[in-house]
Amino acid sequence: MNDIEKKVEELEKRIDKLKLETIEKPIEKKSGITGEKVLAEMIAGLLFGFICGWYIDEYFDTKPLFLLIMIFLGLAGSIYNIYKETEK
Amino acid sequence: MAETHNPLAQFEIKKLLDIDVAGYDISYTNSSMMLTFIVIAIVGLLFAGTRNISLIPSKIQAFVELIYEFIANMLSQNVGKEGLKYFPLICSIFLLILGCNLAGMIPYAFTVTSHIAVTFAFAFFMFIVVNIIGFARHGLHYLALFAPSGIPKAMLPIVSVIEIVSFLIRPFSLAIRLAAAMSAGHLVTKIFALFVISLGSISIFFGIFPVLFISALTALEILVCFIQAFIFSILICIYLNDAVNMH
């Protein structure tokens, strides 16, 4: 009886070890950059810039100033995102 | 004739029940009706799968276990062991988006996720939740995410501004990707359905080709439904990894 319990314990330890190994294994990073991803990112950057700029302008009553700044910032951010994506 | 065959007519929102609370229009529309059905279907599936749990699973229990293992694997691979705490979050958003996408493939059904208002609500809500998790775990140290190491001091203001902006863009790109993929597929299907009429009026023989194409496209669309739900939840996982583990 004791022998079997020991065996079970040993096996459980092995299972735990294997589980840890599979879980902690870093995922293989594949460069999953596609045209669709780039497109979504670019549109998202512009949209973000437009919406933020528009509402900041409305709040401070400085019509085209923040709109322009935020659109360019949004573009820069989206390009930075794409760059990070390709770097992986 | 032209109006009834408008390819965009399928995305129209129709009010079924007018509700107006304090000036806000919260009418019950065909979109909310679809969402209600989908939520009932998902909850029903999960209840049916977990009602009589046995060691030898029934078909429906095996299916629910498959979903569980799929999402638990995704979380543990992308976030690590800590991430399993956030299983309900990822599981519910994955099942909801998958349900919406697949329910849209039923003829005459409304595709909830084709509207950017809905997908943006999903994405923005997840974005806020992930950030709350990040702040709860790391406090103000979480802001170090915006100051990458190994950058000269003089460059830090510029780089961190771009980091913050690119961080804030995330919910937008999530929302746009999902909505664009779903509405584009449905539009293409509808436009090719119009070709059946115009080519079929020449000869019945020509009308067959668009039908063949549509059936192939429908198969592709079902694949896209799965892929988009998967991409959405895996990106949330990646953002969660940033919030939980912080590089």
Side-chain angles (χ1 to χ4, degrees):
Chain A
M1 195 65 195
N2 219 358
D3 222 28
I4 292 170
E5 272 176 5
K6 238 183 193 174
K7 233 178 187 176
V8 166
E9 223 169 71
E10 218 170 77
L11 274 174
E12 268 176 355
K13 258 183 197 163
R14 260 181 73 191
I15 287 170
D16 275 347
K17 210 179 146 199
L18 280 174
K19 258 188 189 167
L20 265 180
E21 268 173 16
T22 48
I23 283 175
E24 300 299 332
K25 201 170 61 182
I27 25 158
E28 290 151 40
K29 290 261 161 61
K30 45 183 190 252
S31 67
I33 190 93
T34 56
E36 176 227 27
K37 248 181 193 171
V38 174
L39 180 73
E41 210 70 63
M42 296 292 277
I43 296 174
L46 279 178
L47 199 71
F48 165 80
F50 183 80
I51 292 173
C52 281
W54 186 270
Y55 281 105
I56 293 172
D57 270 345
E58 205 131 274
Y59 192 75
F60 290 114
D61 209 16
T62 52
K63 201 73 265 186
L65 179 66
F66 279 102
L67 189 67
L68 290 171
I69 294 173
M70 290 309 286
I71 281 179
F72 279 109
L73 265 181
L75 257 182
S78 62
I79 288 168
Y80 185 65
N81 266 350
I82 295 164
Y83 171 72
K84 269 198 289 194
E85 199 80 35
T86 47
E87 221 185 16
K88 273 175 195 169
Chain B
M1 187 71 178
E3 268 169 15
T4 50
H5 292 310
N6 186 352
L8 285 169
Q10 56 180 327
F11 301 130
E12 221 170 278
I13 294 228
K14 296 181 195 90
K15 280 182 194 174
L16 301 178
L17 202 74
D18 264 316
I19 306 170
D20 193 85
V21 174
Y24 288 101
D25 186 11
I26 53 164
S27 305
Y28 192 71
T29 60
N30 52 353
S31 174
S32 15
M33 191 182 74
M34 278 306 286
L35 264 178
T36 318
F37 285 148
I38 290 157
V39 170
I40 289 171
I42 291 170
V43 173
L45 173 76
L46 294 184
F47 261 118
T50 52
R51 204 184 41 183
N52 296 320
I53 295 179
S54 56
L55 198 61
I56 302 157
S58 58
K59 272 177 194 163
I60 196 153
Q61 191 193 332
F63 181 63
V64 172
E65 278 176 9
L66 193 76
I67 296 171
Y68 170 81
E69 261 169 32
F70 173 68
I71 294 165
N73 262 333
M74 188 163 77
L75 263 171
S76 58
Q77 274 179 4
N78 285 301
V79 192
K81 260 191 154 178
E82 282 285 298
L84 288 177
K85 250 194 267 176
Y86 308 107
F87 177 82
L89 182 76
I90 306 293
C91 184
S92 45
I93 199 76
F94 175 77
L95 283 180
L96 185 60
I97 289 174
L98 185 63
C100 290
N101 290 351
L102 285 180
M105 293 309 295
I106 303 167
Y108 296 102
F110 182 80
T111 321
V112 183
T113 40
S114 67
H115 278 254
I116 212 158
V118 177
T119 55
F120 185 71
F122 288 165
F124 198 65
F125 175 71
M126 297 310 276
F127 182 71
I128 288 175
V129 168
V130 166
N131 282 332
I132 288 174
I133 291 168
F135 274 114
R137 286 181 73 95
H138 301 286
L140 280 180
H141 186 65
Y142 183 57
L143 291 176
L145 208 66
F146 302 128
S149 55
I151 296 246
K153 277 247 160 59
M155 287 288 283
L156 202 59
I158 303 169
V159 172
S160 53
V161 164
I162 292 179
E163 280 275 355
I164 290 170
V165 169
S166 72
F167 184 75
L168 292 176
I169 287 172
R170 283 170 173 184
F172 287 85
S173 72
L174 268 182
I176 287 169
R177 194 172 302 163
L178 180 57
M182 292 321 293
S183 48
H186 282 79
L187 270 180
V188 171
T189 318
K190 197 80 174 210
I191 288 167
F192 270 88
L194 289 181
F195 289 167
V196 178
I197 301 170
S198 49
L199 282 176
S201 62
I202 301 170
S203 136
I204 294 290
F205 176 70
F206 286 126
I208 292 170
F209 293 113
V211 174
L212 290 177
F213 189 78
I214 289 171
S215 23
L217 203 65
T218 308
L220 185 74
E221 269 304 290
I222 290 173
L223 183 72
V224 168
C225 289
F226 278 101
I227 288 177
Q228 286 301 323
F230 177 65
I231 285 179
F232 195 96
S233 35
I234 208 162
L235 281 173
I236 301 281
C237 280
I238 290 169
Y239 301 158
L240 199 59
N241 182 32
D242 278 351
V244 171
N245 296 323
M246 281 194 69
H247 302 296

